Amino acid sequence: DGRFRVIVELLHVLRKRIQTTMNPAFVAASSFILFLTSPFDCRSTSFGKVICTPNPSKHRSKLLITLTSSSSTPSSASSSNSPTSNTNDEQQQQQQAEVFSAWNMTVSDFFSRSIGTWKSQRSSHNLAWAHFESVNSDIVIESLSLSDSEVIEICEKYDTAMDSALCAIRMSWEGTSDWDEDEVLKGSTVLVVVKNEHGGDKEGKLLRSEGYAETIPAVGEWKMTEDGVFILNTFYDRAAAEERIWFATKDLRMRVSMIKTSAGTGVLNASFSSEIRQHSPLNATI
């Protein structure tokens, strides 16, 4: 009837609008409009989707209308059964299934996902001198075999059994600071992730060939939280460092760091870093 045609036309208009915007407020508004103008109960979901189902008290027919931000819009009701439409639906379902989540990420997963080249931007506050520093860096993280000679050497140095090592990486960085644009900040370190005897894959020690706060070998204590945050505490002779690193998406890491006094009674430096994975030849969407 005429009322149904109005609903279909409205759905097509909303579909085109949602293709160009993922604003949650607009999605919610579109759901409200559909509720007022049709004999169906509508609700908005994530990923720009509005699902309308019939209310038995209003209508006897069965209808499921899914409004999504797809790459193609059917020009008629019959086109929804076309191979192209089915392919788009499968792609949308696959994209939704691949939504990134760091929940229950293990430390091995964390370091495996960290392998690659990253562009880092760090904002650092030196609280003792009331100075602000901005550092741009390129970071390269490579996976190392547990049988690598450097990994074995580090484990022997700290009297650590090789069967307790979970994974190992080499991290290299090169960057510049706005304090001195002519100075190049450059370094490299080997990290070996070791599990505790009773900690399993939730906590343990991190062996490093070179530390951040002091350029000497260092041992840190790590743990993984349920929501996928890697927490590392490292104690040096003259300072202590605390870092929290997590994945916001599969291609975006966040890092919060603090340099404290060795006694842990004061904070000397605090910084925040965003690290974006670099892809070749084109950068991926974050």
Side-chain angles (χ1 to χ4, degrees), residues 186-204:
K186 189 175 182 180
S188 179
T189 185
V190 173
L191 309 178
V192 181
V193 182
V194 177
K195 62 182 178 180
N196 281 347
E197 182 178 353
H198 303 293
D201 60 353
K202 295 298 183 182
E203 61 182 52

Side-chain angles (χ1 to χ4, degrees), residues 135-148:
V135 178
N136 294 311
S137 305
D138 292 317
I139 300 174
V140 178
I141 301 177
E142 305 169 277
S143 177
L144 291 179
S145 170
L146 294 179
S147 61
D148 187 279

